[in-house]
Amino acid sequence: MRNTDLDFFSGKNRSGLALGLTCKLSIQSLVIATIAGCGNTPSEASDEMFREAFRVSSSGNVALLDQYQHAMQDSVLSYYPEYWKLNQNLALQPSATIVSFARRYPQSAMAEKLSADYVEEKVRAGDFASAAPVLSYVTNADDAEACAIAQVRARTGDSLVLAEFKNKVWLTTDSQPESCNGLARIMLDSPLMTSQDRKQRLFTMLRAGNSGHAFAMANKMGAPLSLTQMNQIQANPMGYLLSAPKVIAQDHAYLIFALGRLADSDLNNAISMVDRLAQGVPEDVQKYLYRTVAYIGGTTVLKNNFNAVLPSYFDKSYGFPFSPEEAEIYARQSIRFGKWEGVIRAIDAMTDQQKQESRWKYWLARASEQRGDAQSKAYAQQVYQKIATQDDYHGLLAKARLKQNYSSFPEAYQPTTSDFSRLTKDVHFQRAFALRNIDAPENYINREWNWAVRQAYLKHDDGLILAAAKRATDMGWYDRAIYAADRTEKRHNYALRYPTPYQSTVVNYSNSVSINPAWAYGLMRQESRFNVGARSHVGAGGLMQIMPDTARLVARQMGESYDSGALSNMNTNIRYGTYYLSMIQGQLNGHPVLATAGYNAGPNRARRWQPSIQNLDADQYAESVPILETRDYVKHVMENAMHYGVVLGQGNQSINRLMYPIPQQF
């Protein structure tokens, strides 16, 4: 284990006193450093050399990396110098070299990353043949990597891969990796794409204003568009629409493009014109004109607020195929306004993969329940029963629909001696703990940890995962402990999933401002996973991720002077965070769902999203939050709060305790 009295990289002990002997390692001083206390064994000393090798990794000094690789041969981290060396000129490496690395370090985190990065590099260079031998060594691809792999497969003879990715990239208008755009370009020439597929892509790209993609698609369809005309429409969509022709296919394309541009800049004018524009055009064009206004209105709520006409426009567009994006917005807008038949139609239009998600199963049941016939109500109950076996947000909602409470968790699995023995021998977890022990860069630590959890998950080894989570918890490494404990399949330990560090502080400060400590814990778990030093990209800090401006406001409200360093203090961060949560709850009708949304997105936005006419069920409010981050945030905090209610012994739990109807704005 690491010498706990020594901070190796600063050359100081934990009290901050400079040591008489500097513990900066060099190749020649490895043995001396071990004796001096920079590591208790040669293996630990060579672990400590990781940071020095890392500093060299960007210098281009291959010879020195070779020396570090030799010196670190007793370390579980020994593959890093070689990885850095290969990564310096990755695009120039022969595929055999990458394959050799992957075979010597099988199923390892950095072999996975090296292989995936190599495939992406070769795809960017158009060298698909060199990438092909490496594909089998990429087993956990992200979106960009998956699209790069699919390009290689398509270019080396596997044309059926295009069908696998059709729903993923063909109709996507949100920003996506360039490798996915490249895959979509390959699809343009594929005979697997039907004339209907091509028309749908053309209309979708026109609606989104993706003129380049639309231009390419129209050319492939034999109905070329003019970029000059599209630029003129972009500059003045209203002027074009006032006298737009509707005769030929190109006219119809320009019409969709112009209406989309108008809806994006002036939704109300687009709504006022769509009925007239939809007259005298083919049925599929008519449907897509309504789709265009409905979709753009549904995705610009931050600018335009909610509009009750949009679900009906989606209804008018039904019959023309929906993209996955469009189906979700259709469902969400219909949920917001309680248009339950629209919800059913929207979910019916989704892909099979979407339909399998618990959220859409839940909403299909909610919509079916509104029908008057006994069969639909019975179906809803059956779906709720299935979803209620899960302990996630939608499972808790389903429990509430069934009027089921819960006050305890399944019996906690305690890791055994055998589990800990496997943990000690597991090279993936060894690497993660070794990196943690030497304060390596966080991205390397987390990559190795997450990879280790994944490998244990693939082996269905819940015991190993929970042993790792327990060891991490004992170290105060809560974020990775939670990551691990969340991923067990059959054996669970909710104390490790929902830890309660700083319990007396959290409970006392929560009670002092009259908020539920379970809610405070639920928010804190989502914000920082109990990492005191957590910092967001926008400057929020600490356990409750408080923005500096918010901290200044809270300090002023509490009659204190603001200290920028105070947010790093556990006590101050929790005190400020619970006070601010209570403050915005008071501003937002005392409602915990509104306050949770306000904590993430700001209280003014949460207030704007309240219904304007009548009260709205809290699950409808949460699902219609227009910011994805905030939408997911509210769901996770509600879920966490319920489970912390059990952890803190608060008796029977129902998510309805927090998720009661949202009052209308006044």
Side-chain angles (χ1 to χ4, degrees):
M1 293 298 292
R2 183 181 181 188
N3 185 332
T4 56
D5 294 325
L6 180 68
D7 184 337
F8 173 81
F9 296 113
S10 67
K12 296 182 180 180
N13 61 17
R14 293 294 180 185
S15 67
L17 300 176
L19 297 174
L21 176 63
T22 299
C23 288
K24 184 177 180 180
L25 293 175
S26 67
I27 305 298
Q28 293 80 9
S29 63
L30 175 59
V31 176
I32 297 174
T34 302
I35 296 172
C38 293
N40 295 329
T41 68
S43 176
E44 289 174 355
S46 57
D47 287 354
E48 298 278 12
M49 298 189 76
F50 172 93
R51 192 72 173 262
E52 294 297 317
F54 175 65
R55 288 172 183 156
V56 172
S57 66
S58 59
S59 70
N61 193 331
V62 173
L64 192 52
L65 283 174
D66 283 338
Q67 293 182 52
Y68 276 112
Q69 183 179 344
H70 177 74
M72 292 175 65
Q73 61 186 320
D74 292 326
S75 169
V76 291
L77 307 178
S78 61
Y79 70 171
Y80 274 98
E82 184 179 0
Y83 164 78
W84 289 322
K85 183 175 64 175
L86 294 174
N87 206 46
Q88 285 180 355
N89 52 4
L90 185 58
L92 301 179
Q93 299 292 341
S95 58
T97 302
I98 308 303
V99 169
S100 173
F101 185 90
R103 287 178 175 172
R104 282 182 287 114
Y105 304 105
Q107 298 177 323
S108 64
M110 301 317 292
E112 168 83 11
K113 178 162 176 54
L114 186 71
S115 300
D117 288 347
Y118 182 79
V119 170
E120 287 192 276
E121 287 283 352
K122 288 301 182 182
V123 166
R124 276 191 287 270
D127 185 0
F128 303 102
S130 293
V134 182
L135 296 189
S136 62
Y137 299 97
V138 184
T139 60
N140 188 36
D142 63 20
D143 288 345
E145 294 159 359
C147 286
I149 290 170
Q151 282 198 54
V152 176
R153 290 173 57 189
R155 293 297 192 189
T156 55
D158 182 7
S159 60
L160 293 179
V161 69
L162 300 180
E164 296 175 26
F165 279 77
K166 177 184 169 185
N167 288 330
K168 187 175 185 62
V169 305
W170 182 246
L171 300 175
T172 296
T173 60
D174 292 335
S175 177
Q176 62 178 342
E178 178 52 34
S179 59
C180 295
N181 288 329
L183 185 60
R185 287 192 291 270
I186 294 175
M187 291 179 180
L188 291 177
D189 295 316
S190 172
L192 295 175
M193 299 296 115
T194 66
S195 59
Q196 178 61 42
D197 292 331
R198 296 173 190 278
K199 180 184 289 186
Q200 189 180 5
R201 177 174 170 83
L202 174 63
F203 285 7
T204 302
M205 297 303 152
L206 290 166
R207 179 262 295 161
N210 290 344
S211 54
H213 292 316
F215 185 80
M217 188 71 262
N219 280 342
K220 290 291 182 183
M221 295 172 65
L225 301 176
S226 164
L227 284 178
T228 301
Q229 176 73 293
M230 296 181 81
N231 288 335
Q232 290 173 351
I233 291 172
Q234 178 80 46
N236 185 12
M238 172 70 85
Y240 177 82
L241 289 171
L242 289 174
S243 58
K246 303 178 181 180
V247 181
I248 60 176
Q250 284 92 334
D251 294 340
H252 303 148
Y254 293 138
L255 199 62
I256 294 170
F257 181 72
L259 184 60
R261 307 295 48 77
L262 179 62
D264 192 55
S265 61
D266 188 346
L267 180 63
N268 288 332
N269 253 329
I271 289 173
S272 69
M273 294 185 72
V274 66
D275 285 335
R276 179 179 66 80
L277 294 173
Q279 295 174 7
V281 297
E283 184 180 12
D284 56 355
V285 177
Q286 181 184 87
K287 289 180 181 297
Y288 209 80
L289 290 170
Y290 285 110
R291 175 84 50 84
T292 295
V293 176
Y295 181 86
I296 293 176
T299 53
T300 56
V301 172
L302 287 178
K303 180 170 63 176
N304 296 303
N305 294 323
F306 291 98
N307 193 312
V309 76
L310 300 181
S312 68
Y313 282 4
F314 271 120
D315 291 342
K316 290 181 178 181
S317 81
Y318 194 76
F320 189 89
F322 282 80
S323 71
E325 294 172 346
E326 291 167 350
E328 289 207 5
I329 298 300
Y330 183 13
R332 209 165 273 126
Q333 289 294 304
S334 298
I335 288 166
R336 171 73 187 198
F337 293 103
K339 302 298 183 181
W340 300 112
E341 291 302 313
V343 174
I344 292 171
R345 283 191 291 270
I347 296 174
D348 181 62
M350 290 180 180
T351 66
D352 289 341
Q353 183 177 0
Q354 288 174 299
K355 291 175 183 177
Q356 293 307 308
E357 296 177 25
S358 60
R359 60 174 164 160
W360 299 124
K361 289 182 178 179
Y362 171 79
W363 284 111
L364 182 58
R366 277 279 272 128
S368 298
E369 192 177 26
Q370 310 308 312
R371 287 177 164 175
D373 62 287
Q375 185 177 357
S376 296
K377 293 183 182 297
Y379 169 78
Q381 292 294 303
Q382 291 171 5
V383 174
Y384 290 147
Q385 292 285 356
K386 291 179 181 178
I387 302 175
T389 61
Q390 304 168 11
D391 60 6
D392 62 4
Y393 169 78
H394 293 99
L396 295 175
L397 287 179
K399 279 185 172 69
R401 303 300 296 183
L402 295 169
K403 296 181 171 53
Q404 295 177 359
N405 298 328
Y406 74 112
S407 59
S408 62
F409 297 127
E411 182 178 357
Y413 178 82
Q414 302 300 335
T416 66
T417 301
S418 174
D419 295 328
F420 283 112
S421 177
R422 292 197 308 285
L423 177 64
T424 302
K425 297 172 184 175
D426 186 280
V427 67
H428 309 300
F429 280 115
Q430 284 178 23
R431 290 184 180 123
F433 282 114
L435 289 169
R436 167 79 175 185
N437 288 341
I438 61 172
D439 293 332
E442 191 174 76
N443 61 319
Y444 284 99
I445 300 173
N446 289 349
R447 181 181 294 276
E448 292 285 5
W449 180 269
N450 297 354
W451 184 261
V453 172
R454 181 174 187 270
Q455 297 310 299
Y457 175 83
L458 292 174
K459 296 175 184 175
H460 309 289
D461 195 341
D462 288 344
L464 174 59
I465 292 173
L466 291 174
K470 179 65 167 65
R471 183 160 296 173
T473 298
D474 291 345
M475 295 167 60
W477 195 12
Y478 297 110
D479 61 334
R480 292 304 93 191
I482 292 169
Y483 180 91
D486 263 347
R487 283 159 177 77
T488 53
E489 296 179 285
K490 296 181 180 179
R491 296 170 172 172
H492 309 297
N493 187 313
Y494 282 80
L496 296 176
R497 283 191 187 185
Y498 297 95
T500 53
Y502 328 113
Q503 184 169 338
S504 61
T505 303
V506 174
V507 171
N508 288 338
Y509 284 136
S510 297
N511 288 338
S512 71
V513 292
S514 301
I515 65 171
N516 187 339
W519 180 29
Y521 261 123
L523 185 142
M524 197 182 306
R525 184 185 190 269
Q526 186 62 24
E527 286 285 358
S528 67
R529 296 286 179 92
F530 308 107
N531 179 357
V532 175
R535 288 291 180 276
S536 78
H537 68 283
V538 294
L543 292 167
M544 299 190 75
Q545 289 290 281
I546 303 172
M547 293 290 290
D549 286 348
T550 300
R552 289 188 187 92
L553 171 64
V554 170
R556 188 163 59 248
Q557 292 283 333
M558 300 181 78
E560 300 178 2
S561 59
Y562 172 68
D563 176 3
S564 61
L567 293 183
S568 298
N569 177 275
M570 174 273 292
N571 188 294
T572 302
N573 199 284
I574 294 173
R575 185 161 60 91
Y576 280 18
T578 50
Y579 185 94
Y580 180 63
L581 184 59
S582 173
M583 187 173 77
I584 61 174
Q585 184 182 22
Q587 297 171 4
L588 294 168
N589 301 93
H591 203 297
V593 171
L594 290 173
T596 301
Y599 195 95
N600 180 262
N604 289 335
R605 281 177 170 170
R607 186 181 296 109
R608 280 178 56 201
W609 300 334
Q610 285 182 249
S612 58
I613 298 177
Q614 58 186 16
N615 292 356
L616 181 70
D617 284 350
D619 59 350
Q620 290 174 259
Y621 176 92
E623 190 59 55
S624 61
V625 165
I627 301 175
L628 173 61
E629 177 191 329
T630 305
R631 185 164 63 246
D632 287 346
Y633 180 89
V634 170
K635 294 177 182 181
H636 287 307
V637 171
M638 294 298 102
E639 173 190 330
N640 293 345
M642 288 299 96
H643 294 319
Y644 272 113
V646 174
V647 172
L648 296 176
Q650 295 181 348
N652 282 335
Q653 300 296 306
S654 170
I655 203 166
N656 284 345
R657 268 183 32 213
L658 296 176
M659 297 193 67
Y660 48 88
I662 306 290
Q664 67 185 93
Q665 298 177 36
F666 291 104

